[in-house]
Amino acid sequence: MNFASPFSLSIVIITILAFLGLPIGLAMLVGSTLYLFLTGADMGIVAEQFLNGMYSNYVMLAVPLFILAAEFMNVGSMTERLLNFCNVLVGRFRGGLAQINILQSIIFAGMSGSAIADAAGSGRMMQNMMTAGGRYTPSYAAALTAVTAVVGPIIPPSIPMILYALVSDASIGYLFIAGMVPGLLMSGLQMMQVAITARRKNFPVEDPVPLREIPGITIRAFPALMMPVVLLGCIYTGITTPTEAAALAAAYALVISVVLYRSISLKAFYQSLYTSAKSSTSIGMLIAGALVFNYVVTIENIPDEIRVLLTGMDLTPTGFLILVNVILLLLGCVLEGTAILLIIVPVFIPTAQALGIDLVHFGVVVVVNIMLGLVTPPYGLLLFIMTNISGAPVRDIIRDALPFIFWMVVSLLIITFIPETVLWLPRLLGYQG
């Protein structure tokens, strides 16, 4: 490798700028621009190609719309009503409040598509509920909220799956369907772990909800419960595209919160728009930087060189998936998930195709790996978010999260080595892959 080549210099610049604290999206833009300048590329033509490609790519519009939908749910009273409904279902069991935490994450997974939105929204409320009266330690409540939020982008809709579809051309609709069984599997193992710990540590039992109150609680939560049904129904019946469904999700959350629940003020509405814009801008800059850098990587023929290298290793499809899992799990400890998805994963896709690995199956494996990175130290973005919310030391949160992380790795191994756990439902609904 020529360390004085334009590509090497761009990598050095990106690394230095990121180390100095510049957002990785901006660092990639600077490094990639330097590469284009040193190679004598026509900046105007390159910019025109990118703009033309992005103007016709409506998939990316789904990202800010799902973020906006999550914000409307968080500032409205949808979260509180759904938590009350979850309490009806599992609150009466030992450790019931911990089980509610898992169940509400499954329900919210069908709405926001973002693990961070789930943790920062309903997670804050669950933290307060679980620690009230000393029923659970702050670290355990924070750890549970972090690991349950991971399920959000696995069960549809999913912002990471939208980004994976962007770099792989896999079907978003079938990716969404493929995430259902793995997400429920992961949640089921989490609930099993809570049940085991509840008996060992004698977790409290919540007061059962009187039977006369159950119909009222269900009716009040029904409009919120219908949101994932409407959203996913429109996608899978072909009424809307995933991007249109994201807009529908935001509109539905706003109408329900304003008209039925009367829980969003003008100030809260403005704050939702402002918060969503900030989050969308951050993700947008990362996408922009990654797309330009991927253009540079393609010019340098890096994906083909890696494909040839991996082919020379004579890997079987199973061996390749094991290698990808190891690489992504290690990278997830130190890198942000979106950056991995947009920069690293495209390099693996040609090899996956050459080995005959289904891209929908591969996409779910990739997304689960990246979600695991949100709760693995030292980076573990969800760990830091819950540290800020709970005030518990991050080491205590990591300690309480380890049993759940173990079961999440077990889930990853199951979906990696048994592709039918991912592909069964899509094929049932017409997928030909």
Side-chain angles (χ1 to χ4, degrees), residues 210-279:
L211 290 176
R212 66 179 181 276
E213 295 182 12
I214 293 178
I217 292 174
T218 304
I219 291 172
R220 286 190 290 272
F222 184 76
L225 290 169
M226 286 301 295
M227 182 173 171
V229 176
V230 172
L231 175 62
L232 300 178
C234 288
I235 294 176
Y236 300 141
T237 57
I239 297 175
T240 66
T241 65
T243 302
E244 292 165 345
L248 178 63
Y252 184 91
L254 179 61
V255 169
I256 294 299
S257 296
V258 172
V259 177
L260 288 183
Y261 295 160
R262 302 177 184 272
S263 56
I264 293 185
S265 63
L266 283 176
K267 182 179 179 181
F269 175 74
Y270 170 79
Q271 187 62 37
S272 297
L273 296 179
Y274 177 73
T275 304
S276 300
K278 285 179 60 178
S279 300

Side-chain angles (χ1 to χ4, degrees), residues 135-364:
R135 286 179 288 187
Y136 298 84
T137 64
S139 62
Y140 184 84
L144 184 61
T145 299
V147 297
T148 57
V150 166
V151 177
I154 300 173
I155 297 176
S158 166
I159 291 175
M161 286 184 182
I162 293 172
L163 298 179
Y164 173 80
L166 178 68
V167 299
S168 69
D169 288 329
S171 166
I172 297 178
Y174 286 125
L175 279 168
F176 280 2
I177 298 171
M180 288 186 178
V181 173
L184 293 174
L185 170 65
M186 190 174 292
S187 295
L189 292 175
Q190 290 174 348
M191 296 183 88
M192 181 186 73
Q193 177 62 44
V194 166
I196 293 171
T197 308
R199 288 188 174 277
R200 190 174 70 247
K201 294 188 174 183
N202 197 30
F203 282 168
V205 178
E206 305 303 313
D207 295 331
V209 178
L211 290 176
R212 66 179 181 276
E213 295 182 12
I214 293 178
I217 292 174
T218 304
I219 291 172
R220 286 190 290 272
F222 184 76
L225 290 169
M226 286 301 295
M227 182 173 171
V229 176
V230 172
L231 175 62
L232 300 178
C234 288
I235 294 176
Y236 300 141
T237 57
I239 297 175
T240 66
T241 65
T243 302
E244 292 165 345
L248 178 63
Y252 184 91
L254 179 61
V255 169
I256 294 299
S257 296
V258 172
V259 177
L260 288 183
Y261 295 160
R262 302 177 184 272
S263 56
I264 293 185
S265 63
L266 283 176
K267 182 179 179 181
F269 175 74
Y270 170 79
Q271 187 62 37
S272 297
L273 296 179
Y274 177 73
T275 304
S276 300
K278 285 179 60 178
S279 300
S280 300
T281 301
S282 176
I283 294 176
M285 288 302 299
L286 185 55
I287 292 174
L291 289 177
V292 178
F293 183 71
N294 285 340
Y295 178 80
V296 171
V297 168
T298 302
I299 292 176
E300 287 290 314
N301 208 30
I302 302 298
D304 285 341
E305 290 182 4
I306 292 179
R307 180 178 58 80
V308 170
L309 175 64
L310 293 176
T311 302
M313 295 171 65
D314 198 26
L315 290 171
T316 63
T318 300
F320 172 74
L321 288 173
I322 292 174
L323 179 63
V324 169
N325 277 334
V326 171
I327 292 174
L328 293 183
L329 285 173
L330 291 175
L331 289 175
C333 293
V334 294
L335 290 179
E336 198 272 332
T338 305
I340 297 173
L341 194 55
L342 294 173
I343 301 170
I344 307 299
V345 172
V347 175
F348 292 131
I349 289 174
T351 305
Q353 290 177 305
L355 291 173
I357 296 172
D358 185 89
L359 286 186
V360 169
H361 174 227
F362 187 65
V364 174

Side-chain angles (χ1 to χ4, degrees), residues 86-98:
C86 293
N87 185 39
V88 169
L89 298 180
V90 295
R92 64 183 65 239
F93 302 109
R94 183 164 298 282
L97 200 51

